[in-house]
Amino acid sequence: MELSRTAKSFTESVIREMTRICDSVGGINLSQGFPDFPTKEEIKNAAVRAIMDDVNQYSVTFGSPNLRSAIAKKVKSFNKIEVDPEEEITITCGATEAMLCTLKAVINPGDEVIIFEPYYENYGPDVILSGAKAKYITLHPPKWEFDYEELANAFNSNTKAIIINTPNNPTGKVFTRKELEYIAELCNEFNAIAICDEIYEHITYDDTRHISIASLPNMANRTVTINSASKTYSVTGWRVGWAIACPEITKLIRTVHDFTTVGAPSPLQEAVAFCMELKNDYYEQLRNHYFEARNYIHDALVECGFKLYETNGAYYFLVNCDELMNKYSISDDFEFSKFLIEKTGIATVPGTSFYTDKTKGNRQVRFCYCKSWDTLYESGKRLRKLID
Ligand SMILES: Cc1ncc(COP(=O)(O)O)c(C=O)c1O
């Protein structure tokens, strides 16, 4: 019996392999993007309260009314987007499900989807599962900028959507207003949809602030804004995310979602509704922790001989390893990641995981720094073994 060729074509996530090797040597896992510190007591209490209040059965399939109203209120003030919670929000099992349901809801055979490369690992398989053809546009270091002309040339009458992730995993780039305006112009010219994954929207540094492409003129009806509680509230295991889109697109996202998962966990949806009411100081604290963590890991990596590029948000560094690869006579990113675990006990993700064109990532690895200070200090200490 021949099982699915598509499913067989996906390789197992490299992050899982690095995690396995890391665990076997008792190392520190800077490969996967989840915090190793607990979420706030008040957030945990909101989840416990919902369970004890008997919110334990299916909610409305497209999401608890409380959570949808709370999201609408928050995006109005933070993202400057006016949303009708009745017809324009779908609650999903994480941003992961929101992305797949969105693509399944909008793609027809022959459609093309533009993706910026390097990209968050799931987008490639998501596009394949939806039946679309992916077109990749490179983000170039040191500022992770794209070539405007190259992007314009990638758009054509088959372009159904462009996926934007800002703040960006794995680069730490935050798309500028000018870049978003340019993308918006192309979406309008070619009647394409912007699918914007904004899961790191609260993690921005220095004077940089996140802008939602849906808030730009003529974009509300052609944008799907994807988000999740995972990163902002440090609850990656809760699996609560959402997609915001005009009623026409939302109707189809809800249909796909209904047949995929029926619904996201009901008590956790109520707890996330509580999170939406958190005040500014919560977000300031989150930003400050990651800002200091970024600076600390930045300095440690530079001291060890990595070449770093500009980062304005999210919690990753995609670094160039030329100097160290030459020093230790290592020829590719996989070998280098394995060497790093052996030499320092630090797990990273090989750069090629984020590219379709493997030549672009084979001198890079990704470090993630969404960790407690104990882990960060220990990481700094271990990394310095590279200098010994
Ligand atoms: C850009 C991006 N989108 C989505 C996800 C997954 O989100 P969720 O946990 O809400 O499914 C991640 C996780 O690392 C991510 O980096």
Side-chain angles (χ1 to χ4, degrees), residues 33 93-97 120 123 165 169 197 199-200 228 230-231 236 239-241 316:
C93 294
T96 303
E97 192 212 335
Y120 167 54
Y123 297 157
N165 170 218
N169 171 11
D197 179 342
I199 192 165
Y200 299 102
S228 153
S230 288
K231 314 287 178 172
T236 55
R239 316 309 304 133
V240 179
Y316 306 97

Side-chain angles (χ1 to χ4, degrees), residues 107-108 110-115 127-128 130-136:
I107 295 300
N108 286 309
D111 286 347
E112 294 179 0
V113 174
I114 297 174
I115 302 176
V127 168
I128 293 169
S130 74
K133 179 172 170 242
K135 269 195 167 174
Y136 297 95

Side-chain angles (χ1 to χ4, degrees), residues 131-185:
K133 179 172 170 242
K135 269 195 167 174
Y136 297 95
I137 295 293
T138 308
L139 296 172
H140 300 277
K143 290 187 161 192
W144 301 111
E145 287 165 324
F146 60 88
D147 181 329
Y148 280 43
E149 204 177 311
E150 189 190 352
L151 182 65
N153 289 337
F155 274 81
N156 62 57
S157 58
N158 293 325
T159 307
K160 178 57 69 68
I162 176 166
I163 297 178
I164 306 141
N165 170 218
T166 181
N168 185 264
N169 171 11
T171 63
K173 172 187 177 66
V174 179
F175 281 69
T176 63
R177 182 174 290 279
K178 186 170 163 237
E179 287 171 330
L180 293 173
E181 280 171 353
Y182 188 72
I183 297 167
E185 219 175 274

Side-chain angles (χ1 to χ4, degrees), residues 51 69 90 99 118 123 340-341:
I51 290 174
S69 304
T90 310
M99 180 60 75
Y123 297 157
L340 266 187
I341 300 181

